[in-house]
């Protein structure tokens, strides 16, 4: 029945937006029925870039977990937990680090990108070890499948390399994990660029319906289409492109022929998004009104995760003569 064990996580570096929802979360919700699944908030990973903002990490950790549940992750079907609740990840991280040549880490493309992006004059040991921590997240649950975005593939490759090396030295402990890609096209943001919290062009799951309407009203459309009757060019229009990702771009011809105007079009988009998000936002509000419920769910999720993580650690300690 189950296709095996599946694990994924997200860093609590901000609120989750439509891109996170349609690109990852919605897929996780389907996968929880097919696999023995583990989903967690990677709050230790967030320390690599937000060490001076740990209160924010704490706030986002709860917000992201709330979004997970609101989007439809069901704690009766899968484990939803916070990374730092399972200390075993840190122990395995240390042990894996012994089997990871520094050269492998220097070659990870995300490492160089982050180094440049953040204008860091020095790089922390923790940032360099980011993919080793991610490997421990995956390997400690002996996950077979890891749904991630394209950008995370180098990390999965490294996970396989570390796992293989570990198996070679200490015997068969870890299975080979596989990335699960979604075909979902990148979600365009309010300005037509890829939706991203760093571009300030996102619609957030936690936004209200009114905020969503205001954001959509401010969206960039075809600048040549001043009036409804002007012929428009939907290809370069962010409103059109967002609707297209939902297969709802049936105004293409009406736009070109001047039969629909941008005001009407934006109304349709806002209404569509608010419909899509309404049940999620409702569950979100409910969880926010009962913080103790979230605590309970995360404690139960951690309990489930810890059981598996502990069993793996017993095996690893024995193989390494640390028992
Ligand atoms: N690095 C992932 C990201 O930024 C988050 C993450 C941490 C993760 N540990 C993981 C994803 C383990 C999958 C499996 O998106
Ligand atoms: Fe874009 Fe719609 Fe305006 Fe055409 S009518 S330019 S698709 S918002």
């Amino acid at each position: 029945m189950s296709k095996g064990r599946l694990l994924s996580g997200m860093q609590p570096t901000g609120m989750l937006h439509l891109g996170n929802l349609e690109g990852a979360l919605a897929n996780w919700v389907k996968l929880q029925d097919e696999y023995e699944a583990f989903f967690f908030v990677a709050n230790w990973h967030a320390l690599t870039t937000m060490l001076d903002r740990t209160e924010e990490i704490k706030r986002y950790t709860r917000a992201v977990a709330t979004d997970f549940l609101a989007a439809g992750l069901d704690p009766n079907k899968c484990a939803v937990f916070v990374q730092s609740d399972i200390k075993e990840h840190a122990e395995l991280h240390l042990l894996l680090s012994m089997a990871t040549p520094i050269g492998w880490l220097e070659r990870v493309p995300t490492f160089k990108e982050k180094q440049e992006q953040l204008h860091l004059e020095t790089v922390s040991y923790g940032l360099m070890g980011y993919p080793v921590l991610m490997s421990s997240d995956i390997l400690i649950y002996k996950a077979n499948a890891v749904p991630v975005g394209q950008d995370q593939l180098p990390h999965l490759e490294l996970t396989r390399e570390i796992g293989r090396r570990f198996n070679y030295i200490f015997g068969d402990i870890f299975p080979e994990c596989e990335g699960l890609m979604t075909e979902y096209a990148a979600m365009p943001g309010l300005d037509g660029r890829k939706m991203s919290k760093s571009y300030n062009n996102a619609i957030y799951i936690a936004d209200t319906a009114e905020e969503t309407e205001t954001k959509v009203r401010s969206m960039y459309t075809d600048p040549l289409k001043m009036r409804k009757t002007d012929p428009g060019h939907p290809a370069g229009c962010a409103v059109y492109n967002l609707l297209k990702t939902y297969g709802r771009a049936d105004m293409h011809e009406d736009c070109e022929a001047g039969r629909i105007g941008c005001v009407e079009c934006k109304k349709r988009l806002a209404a569509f998004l608010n419909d899509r998000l309404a049940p999620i936002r409702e569950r979100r509000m409910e969880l926010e009104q009962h913080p103790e419920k979230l605590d309970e769910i995360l404690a139960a999720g951690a309990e489930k995760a810890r059981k598996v993580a502990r069993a793996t650690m017993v095996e690893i300690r024995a193989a390494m003569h640390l028992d």
Side-chain angles (χ1 to χ4, degrees), residues 20-310:
N20 303 122
L21 176 66
E22 309 297 4
L25 273 182
N27 190 39
W28 293 6
V29 171
K30 287 186 206 137
L31 292 167
Q32 70 180 338
D33 290 320
E34 300 169 27
Y35 290 85
E36 183 194 349
F38 297 79
F39 299 107
F40 70 101
V41 185
N43 59 338
W44 278 338
H45 274 111
L47 293 170
T48 60
T49 52
M50 293 176 66
L51 195 59
D52 52 346
R53 290 147 63 200
T54 50
E55 285 134 329
E56 270 180 79
I57 297 178
K58 182 172 181 170
R59 243 188 311 118
Y60 288 142
T61 296
R62 290 188 74 86
V64 168
T66 304
D67 284 332
F68 281 7
L69 298 164
L73 289 188
D74 179 347
N76 295 314
K77 294 180 180 171
C78 64
V80 177
F81 64 99
V82 176
Q83 184 184 35
S84 65
D85 281 343
I86 315 295
K87 310 301 179 199
E88 285 80 2
H89 289 219
E91 183 182 358
L92 183 56
H93 170 246
L94 178 131
L95 298 176
L96 295 180
S97 77
M98 305 298 170
T100 309
I102 289 174
W104 289 6
L105 300 178
E106 285 169 333
R107 261 187 271 117
V108 174
T110 49
F111 175 66
K112 285 178 214 141
E113 279 161 29
K114 273 209 184 131
Q115 200 176 351
E116 283 162 21
Q117 246 174 46
L118 299 167
H119 309 290
L120 300 172
E121 60 276 18
T122 67
V123 162
S124 75
Y125 176 53
L127 179 64
M128 185 154 217
Y130 184 109
V132 185
L133 181 57
M134 181 159 160
S135 300
S136 85
D137 298 335
I138 296 168
L139 296 173
I140 204 160
Y141 299 102
K142 301 190 179 189
N144 312 102
V146 186
V148 285
Q150 203 74 23
D151 62 315
Q152 297 295 311
L153 288 185
H155 293 155
L156 289 193
E157 186 52 40
L158 194 84
T159 301
R160 283 189 287 270
E161 274 168 331
I162 295 175
R164 259 184 239 131
R165 186 144 211 236
F166 214 82
N167 283 349
Y168 179 75
I169 305 172
F170 299 111
D172 268 344
I173 297 177
F174 303 124
E176 192 123 307
C177 68
E178 199 195 323
L180 284 192
M181 297 297 114
T182 39
E183 279 130 60
Y184 203 83
M187 176 72 67
L190 299 171
D191 56 1
R193 291 187 291 174
K194 179 182 150 96
M195 190 176 285
S196 160
K197 64 175 187 299
S198 33
Y199 292 158
N200 198 17
N201 67 353
I203 291 170
Y204 293 96
I205 296 175
D207 283 347
T208 63
E210 293 71 37
E211 283 166 332
T212 304
E213 276 161 28
T214 306
K215 283 182 177 179
V216 169
R217 243 184 277 125
S218 78
M219 278 176 80
Y220 175 86
T221 67
D222 179 358
L224 296 174
K225 193 170 167 75
M226 311 280 283
R227 302 179 203 83
K228 172 178 168 179
T229 49
D230 294 336
H233 306 82
C237 168
V239 175
Y240 176 78
N241 285 318
L242 224 165
L243 278 161
K244 203 166 82 178
T245 63
Y246 283 103
R248 293 292 175 124
D250 45 14
M251 70 290 299
H252 187 271
E253 280 172 19
D254 285 345
C255 168
E256 285 181 335
R259 283 191 299 263
I260 186 172
C262 299
V263 173
E264 162 67 16
C265 209
K266 285 175 169 178
K267 272 190 193 148
R268 282 196 207 173
L269 174 60
F272 174 79
L273 292 179
N274 281 336
D275 268 5
R276 161 79 181 114
L277 292 169
I280 299 174
R281 287 169 171 166
E282 201 171 305
R283 282 195 290 268
R284 204 177 191 293
M285 295 268 277
E286 214 175 284
L287 279 162
E288 273 187 334
Q289 278 159 15
H290 303 280
E292 72 287 351
K293 232 186 201 164
L294 181 65
D295 293 335
E296 249 171 62
I297 291 170
L298 293 178
E303 201 53 51
K304 259 195 239 178
R306 198 173 291 120
K307 225 166 140 180
V308 178
R310 283 207 174 140

